[in-house]
Amino acid sequence: METLLQQIINGLILGSMYALVALGYTMVYGIINLINFAHGDVLMVGALTSWAIIVRMQESMPGTPGWLILLIALLISCVVAAVLNFVIEKVAYRPLRNSPKLAPLITAIGMSILLQTLAMIIFKPNYKPYPMLLPSKPFQVGGAVITTTQIMILGLTAVSLAVLMYLVNYTKLGRAMRATAENPRVAALMGVKPDMVISATFVIGAILATIAGVMYASNYGTVQHTMGFLPGLKAFTAAVFGGIGNLAGAVVGGILLGLIESIGSGYIGTLTGGVLGSHYSDIFAFIVLIIMLTLRPSGLLGERVADRA
């Protein structure tokens, strides 16, 4: 039971990060029907930027509390990633908005490769240890262990999701996002500026991806220029799993995928008689994707047009 509880905790933490990134995918798809495959690399840029800021602050301001350094690094990284995603939308995607669907898809893949290459040049290709800024003393929960960093991840995810749901459902920008998702031309006639709404959606997605990236780096203790590829791909799987274009679906899909991956990796060795180990845990995400696309292509919660923002 202790093993199962530990894997559930690990799954919730992993699923929280997938959910935040999946929201970026599903928001962009809900408004302009684009799969932004560079989204995972925005996570990477946010994580690497926060690493650089943390290292610089530790050198220049020794004695500063770890939580304060992490908070400052997170805020600055969110701004950097938001500006980056704003520029990407304006330069790479906006000119192709009325092009055949394949053109922006290829552009998104090209943008992903470009971001990875630029990050490799700027930050160098080696793995970098991410500083431990929060107390490392673990807490016992029913025989399982959870750290301060993991508690922070769960809390930050809950706050981020609550703020996003409030933004989408109760603010003027949220109404504009839902209207643009429903029908951009009619929304424009009613005074909504679709270009502004789309740019805002990319900015919000970048902030969520950066939060996920900093949490990912804090939890696993390392950063590198390719670190966003696999989490981005799994988050896309989570968005499809839950129903791409649906905000609640992205959250449900992310958390379920994290649980499936974590619990599966804990028992895969036993289930396969030792043939496969926990390092094969990545296969679960893509098995889930194949099964979901085969049995229910619209995802667990389908796609409700009114919630596509």
Side-chain angles (χ1 to χ4, degrees), residues 46-231:
L48 279 172
T49 302
S50 70
W51 169 82
I53 294 166
I54 288 168
V55 171
R56 183 62 59 86
M57 288 185 68
Q58 286 182 326
E59 291 174 352
S60 61
M61 293 187 292
T64 306
W67 65 267
L68 182 59
I69 293 176
L70 186 62
L71 178 61
I72 293 171
L74 177 62
L75 293 174
I76 296 174
S77 300
C78 284
V79 172
V80 171
V83 171
L84 174 66
N85 227 21
F86 177 83
V87 173
I88 289 173
E89 189 276 327
K90 217 170 185 61
V91 174
Y93 299 145
R94 188 170 296 183
L96 300 174
R97 198 172 292 164
N98 297 317
S99 302
K101 296 291 184 185
L102 193 59
L105 184 64
I106 294 172
T107 302
I109 295 171
M111 186 57 65
S112 171
I113 296 169
L114 176 63
L115 289 176
Q116 288 186 34
T117 305
L118 289 175
M120 181 178 66
I121 294 170
I122 295 170
F123 295 101
K124 310 305 178 191
N126 57 303
Y127 282 88
K128 303 157 188 66
Y130 199 85
M132 289 278 292
L133 297 172
L134 298 178
S136 56
K137 182 182 178 181
F139 299 93
Q140 296 286 333
V141 181
V145 174
I146 186 168
T147 65
T148 306
T149 300
Q150 291 172 332
I151 293 172
M152 180 269 294
I153 288 172
L154 294 175
L156 196 53
T157 300
V159 171
S160 301
L161 294 178
V163 170
L164 178 66
M165 293 304 172
Y166 176 81
L167 176 71
V168 170
N169 292 308
Y170 298 105
T171 66
K172 187 176 180 180
L173 175 60
R175 288 192 294 273
M177 290 167 68
R178 296 200 305 274
T180 304
E182 188 88 26
N183 192 316
R185 292 182 180 179
V186 173
L189 292 173
M190 299 299 292
V192 174
K193 298 178 181 178
D195 287 345
M196 186 272 292
V197 170
I198 292 167
S199 294
T201 303
F202 272 81
V203 167
I204 293 168
I207 292 171
L208 293 175
T210 300
I211 293 171
V214 172
M215 293 192 309
Y216 193 90
S218 299
N219 192 46
Y220 292 104
T222 183
V223 288
Q224 198 241 4
H225 69 282
T226 60
M227 65 173 286
F229 176 74
L230 201 55

